Every structure is written in structure tokens, then in C-alpha cells.
Amino acid sequence: MIIGVPKEIKPNENRVGLTPAGVMEFVHHGHTVLIQKGAGLGSGIGDDEFVRAGAKIIDAAEEIFKEAQMIIKVKEPQTVEIDMMHEGQIIYTYLHLAPDRKQTEGLMRKKVVAIAYETIEVDGKLPLLEPMSEVAGKMASIMAAYYLAKPYGGIGVLAGGVTGVHSAKFVILGGGTAGLNAAKVASGMGASVFVLDINAERLRYLEDVLPKNCQMIMSNKFTIAEEIKDADAVIGTVLIPGAKTPRLITRDMLKTMKKGAVIVDVSIDQGGCVETSKPTTHADPVYEVDGVLHYCVANMPGAYARTSTFALTNATLPYGLIIANLGYKEAAKRYEPIAKGINVLNGKITCKPVAEAHGLEYTPLEELI
């Protein structure tokens, strides 16, 4: 199979879909790998490293999309990239289709095989999302602490406080991978951390692994509303696989928060868990609503591109090899996680939460393969 890796074009996105180690694996299995010139530079990987691993360097993205049978990316394809796709081509990347009707319809129109990292599921876990959730969770607390500083729009509270002065209160919505890592960093800075989740078993686990300056609270509308009132920072990490994120903080609830408080909405890729959230970029990451600073960067791990690229490709490579070695049909038949990853096929939506998010027809994958 011909594998194509274009340079990411989403603003401030410096990750790349394959490392030289990944290239070497694909070549070892008899595949051809085309890498766009400069695709790895943002992650500190030069073209010469890809060449030594066996890749061919291609100047233009157009040629990559024309020649490749499978495109491996990091972020969801932009409009110009969708326009370059062709029928039957496999797109293997993060898609986040539930909040993005335009992209969904574009992939349907092109009749591509759209395989989303974020819906590949193994034993209830999302192994291709978890490494980036780790990065985003740790980043979330760092960004919250940074923007709490007065010069950057915050209330002027130091996360860990100092002797004789209260530390900041961090409220974390969701105790999954991102929430756990946000709590680790926030507690490590000395903040008072409150983690809310709807799963009592998960809360028991978090109680065991997190330090004593972290408290676990059962999540519901009442407790969320109460906890955010005196929070200095709120970090939203809620995720429903493949679906649009529920809005846990309404505009009315926002008005009860401290002026100068900071919200970091990690779940913005799936629509965000705050009513007033809208995607931002690393170039212009924050905005203010009702006196509350919002940080809603839609590709947070792109800021730490080298770490993120290697963490992501460690997870995506094994599944990518299966798809390339067997073809998507046989791969989906033999491996349920890959079947769950297919969101769009032959112009049909095969991921139920995506179809429901847009009010479009859902077609079970088994009817198409």
C-alpha cells in the first residue's frame, strides 16, 4: 500500500503523523511511504531522517493526496485537504466529526474511508486518544496557572499559594485520562484540587492514586454549580466517545464565577463542555466572557509537538500497520477496535454518535463491508 503523510496545515499544528521509526515499520512490511517535504520539522524531525528510514520526500501535498492509498495525519482534514481526497482513499487521523458537520459532509461527499483515532476502542478504553489526553491534561493545569496571573487577565492567584495564604482552587470536570493528569499537575503545584466525575468506581480509584490535596466529588448539576462558584480555575475534560460533549457549565452558571477565574476547556475538540466555549488557537488562545477567561485551544498537544508526536505515533502505528497489511475491510472484520474507528464509509456515516449529532442517517458498518 502507498502511505502518504502530508504536512499539517491547521494553525500552529507542529505534530506529524509518522516518525522515522514508523516509516521503517511500514517499509519493512512492503509498503511505500511518501512524506511531504518539511512535514516533521515542527517536531524536530528532518527530511533526511525520514529518507534514511526508507521514505520518499514529496514537495507538494497535492501529489501526496493523489498518489497515496492511505493518508496518515494528526488533525482533522481541512477543507483544502478534503478537496484533494479521492473515492476509496483511507484517511487515518483524528476526526472529531460530532461538532463538525461541514467536515462530515465533505468526507461523505468524497466517499473516503474515514478512520478516527478517537473512536478506536479496546476494552472500554481509547488507546489512540489517551496519550494526547495525557498531554492536554498536564497542559491544562499549566495553562490555568499561567493565565491566573494578573498581567494575562487572571485574578492574580498563585496556584500553590505561599505560607499563610490560600492556594488556588482548581475544579476538574471529568476523572478520565485528561482529568487525572490535570489533577496530578495541579496538585503538584500545590493547588487545592476538586475532581468531579459521575463514576463512583473511578472516584475510588482516583482517591487511591492522587495526593491528599485532591478531593473527589460525585458530579451532577448541583455539585458543578456549587463548586465552580469559588473556583479560581475550572478544567473541563469530559468525553463521550465519538459524540458531542454535553454542556455542563451554562452561561447562567458562568455568571456566578469569580471575575478573573480561568476556564480551560480540554473537550473543545468535541464541541466543549461550557456553553460559552469556542475553539481558539495557540496564536490567540484566550478570550473573556462575563469576566471569566476562556482557554479553548483545539489542538493543545501541538504546543509540545515533539513529545506529542512520539507519544501519538507509538499508539497509532500498530493499528495503521494492520490496516495497511490487511486492507480496511479485512482489518475491520478481524479487529473490532478498527471497525469502531470507521466513522464514514462509501458516503455513509457508520458511527452512530456522529449521525445522531447531525441528525443524519446512520448505516451499520456490517452492511457496507
Side-chain angles (χ1 to χ4, degrees):
M1 187 176 284
I2 301 173
I3 312 298
V5 181
K7 185 175 182 179
E8 297 293 323
I9 60 172
K10 188 165 184 172
N12 307 114
E13 181 52 71
N14 293 299
R15 289 171 289 181
V16 63
L18 273 183
T19 61
V23 170
M24 192 172 288
E25 285 296 316
F26 276 105
V27 172
H28 175 71
H29 283 82
H31 307 295
T32 299
V33 181
L34 310 178
I35 305 277
Q36 187 178 351
K37 184 177 181 180
L41 293 179
S43 296
I45 305 170
D47 291 342
D48 57 330
E49 294 180 70
F50 284 124
V51 170
R52 286 198 298 271
K56 297 179 182 178
I57 302 299
I58 305 296
D59 286 335
E62 290 85 353
E63 190 174 346
I64 296 272
F65 279 91
K66 181 181 178 181
E67 297 295 330
Q69 296 165 288
M70 178 162 75
I71 296 290
I72 298 180
K73 280 177 43 62
V74 177
K75 290 305 294 178
E76 67 277 1
Q78 306 300 292
T79 301
V80 66
E81 293 175 313
I82 292 175
D83 289 342
M84 291 187 283
M85 294 175 185
H86 54 79
E87 184 174 343
Q89 192 170 48
I90 300 168
I91 310 301
Y92 181 52
T93 187
Y94 285 121
L95 293 174
H96 301 294
L97 294 179
D100 192 344
R101 188 182 182 101
K102 183 179 179 181
Q103 184 198 170
T104 304
E105 291 178 338
L107 296 175
M108 293 171 69
R109 183 181 71 253
K110 285 291 186 171
K111 294 186 177 181
V112 296
V113 184
I115 304 177
Y117 293 163
E118 73 273 9
T119 61
I120 288 179
E121 187 176 333
V122 180
D123 297 329
K125 295 184 178 181
L126 305 172
L128 277 58
L129 190 62
E130 284 182 352
M132 295 304 92
S133 294
E134 285 187 63
V135 175
K138 290 180 176 180
M139 270 190 72
S141 289
I142 295 170
M143 294 298 104
Y146 178 84
Y147 283 104
L148 278 173
K150 196 70 175 177
Y152 311 123
I155 197 171
V157 173
L158 184 65
V162 292
T163 304
V165 181
H166 281 297
S167 59
K169 177 180 178 180
F170 277 52
V171 173
I172 299 172
L173 305 179
T177 301
L180 169 60
N181 282 275
K184 284 180 179 178
V185 171
S187 61
M189 289 189 288
S192 298
V193 181
F194 297 80
V195 182
L196 281 67
D197 199 279
I198 59 174
N199 186 327
E201 200 59 42
R202 181 65 177 178
L203 291 176
R204 290 189 187 96
Y205 168 76
L206 295 174
E207 190 83 44
D208 285 340
V209 300
L210 289 172
K212 295 302 180 185
N213 56 333
C214 295
Q215 294 186 42
M216 313 311 143
I217 299 174
M218 183 59 70
S219 182
N220 53 56
K221 289 182 180 179
F222 178 82
T223 54
I224 293 172
E226 288 299 306
E227 292 301 327
I228 68 172
K229 285 180 183 178
D230 61 346
D232 297 296
V234 176
I235 297 173
T237 70
V238 180
L239 174 72
I240 299 174
K244 195 170 182 178
T245 306
R247 297 293 173 86
L248 300 184
I249 297 178
T250 65
R251 181 71 179 267
D252 287 340
M253 292 163 71
L254 189 77
K255 293 175 181 177
T256 70
M257 293 179 64
K258 294 178 181 179
K259 304 303 178 187
V262 176
I263 290 176
V264 178
D265 197 342
V266 178
S267 56
I268 192 65
D269 270 336
Q270 292 290 134
C273 64
V274 181
E275 185 179 349
T276 45
S277 287
K278 60 183 180 182
T280 61
T281 67
H282 289 294
D284 188 16
V286 295
Y287 61 93
E288 177 264 323
V289 179
D290 294 334
V292 177
L293 209 59
H294 292 54
Y295 178 100
C296 303
V297 175
N299 62 326
M300 290 176 67
Y304 296 93
R306 187 168 176 86
T307 296
S308 298
T309 287
F310 282 88
L312 175 62
T313 57
N314 284 344
T316 59
L317 178 61
Y319 297 95
L321 282 170
I322 292 170
I323 295 165
N325 290 342
L326 298 177
Y328 79 87
K329 287 185 180 180
E330 193 62 30
K333 289 176 182 177
R334 292 196 202 180
Y335 297 91
E336 186 180 0
I338 291 173
K340 288 186 175 182
I342 299 177
N343 281 208
V344 176
L345 176 61
N346 297 342
K348 307 288 186 180
I349 299 177
T350 55
C351 178
K352 195 170 186 180
V354 171
E356 291 175 345
H358 299 302
L360 296 172
E361 184 181 354
Y362 162 68
T363 303
L365 181 65
E366 53 268 25
E367 291 184 13
L368 301 177
I369 62 171

